[in-house]
Amino acid sequence: MDYLLILRGINGGSYHQIKMATLRALLTAGGLVNVTSYANSGNLCFTSDQSQPACEQQIATILGTNFDFPINFGVFTKTTFLTELKQAPAWWGSPDNRQHMCLFKLKNYAEHDGWLRDHLTPIDQVATTPHLIFWSVVASGNFQHSWYGQVWGTAFYAQTSTRSYRTTRRLWQLLQERTT
């Protein structure tokens, strides 16, 4: 089965640096197959005969053994990711004056969807699925006034990992191209 692995909080400046080649090698040595990465921010695809929970445990062990800082992550089956991405609302990715993001709910995500909806500003648009949050912000210089601009440091922020619309669509394409 094909999987998508999303890591949070790595390669963001000078802290928590992980070379993707090193990470691919560690995951491959740990038994995952056909490990590929996209960009330098913790987006990986791999194949495994194991269940999603077993893959999560294996990856947690690999990360915990090889890095001296905690790394939150999420593992999503190809089917789950592609199915939920098809549920994106029509406004997500529209070519108007908005910034579009996809937030991945990581393995320790507590139910924050109601909390999120209760705090949105008029310039935020949000739609949720079980594993993804589609978020658009009117990008007319007011990003810091959006609710997305205010979530830094919250439990919600620590339990999600954001990818741009463009990166999310590229991950979709990479998973579509996998034939295992």
Side-chain angles (χ1 to χ4, degrees):
M1 179 178 294
D2 289 316
Y3 292 93
L4 173 64
L5 169 61
I6 299 291
L7 301 177
R8 184 187 184 292
I10 65 163
N11 299 341
S14 61
Y15 64 95
H16 298 163
Q17 292 294 308
I18 300 176
K19 293 182 181 196
M20 290 298 102
T22 301
L23 187 55
R24 288 190 309 268
L26 289 169
L27 294 172
T28 299
L32 304 179
V33 181
N34 195 19
V35 179
T36 60
S37 58
Y38 173 69
N40 193 36
S41 57
N43 309 298
L44 297 104
C45 298
F46 66 90
T47 302
S48 176
D49 291 334
Q50 297 183 72
S51 68
Q52 186 266 346
C55 288
E56 272 188 359
Q57 182 57 48
Q58 183 176 12
I59 291 166
T61 299
I62 291 167
L63 296 175
T65 302
N66 291 283
F67 300 101
D68 61 356
F69 50 88
I71 304 170
N72 197 1
F73 66 92
V75 176
F76 309 90
T77 67
K78 174 182 175 177
T79 302
T80 295
F81 176 65
L82 296 180
T83 299
E84 290 190 23
L85 198 56
K86 288 179 185 175
Q87 298 173 35
W91 47 259
W92 188 74
S94 63
D96 55 5
N97 188 29
R98 297 171 193 239
Q99 186 165 358
H100 305 285
M101 301 152 290
C102 181
L103 283 70
F104 290 80
K105 299 175 183 179
L106 303 180
K107 66 179 178 59
N108 66 342
Y109 186 80
E111 182 52 47
H112 294 289
D113 294 354
W115 171 86
L116 173 61
R117 282 190 279 284
D118 290 345
H119 289 87
L120 296 177
T121 72
I123 62 174
D124 293 294
Q125 276 190 288
V126 168
T128 61
T129 68
H131 301 97
L132 303 175
I133 300 169
F134 301 101
W135 200 322
S136 293
V137 175
V138 175
S140 58
N142 292 322
F143 191 75
Q144 71 274 14
H145 299 295
S146 70
W147 183 239
Y148 185 80
Q150 308 301 312
V151 298
W152 191 86
T154 66
F156 169 83
Y157 181 77
Q159 296 169 12
T160 59
S161 191
T162 304
R163 299 298 184 267
S164 69
Y165 173 83
R166 182 175 170 227
T167 296
T168 304
R169 296 300 296 176
R170 180 67 178 132
L171 295 173
W172 173 85
Q173 180 182 16
L174 293 171
L175 280 170
Q176 287 282 76
E177 293 170 355
R178 294 175 80 91
T179 57
T180 54

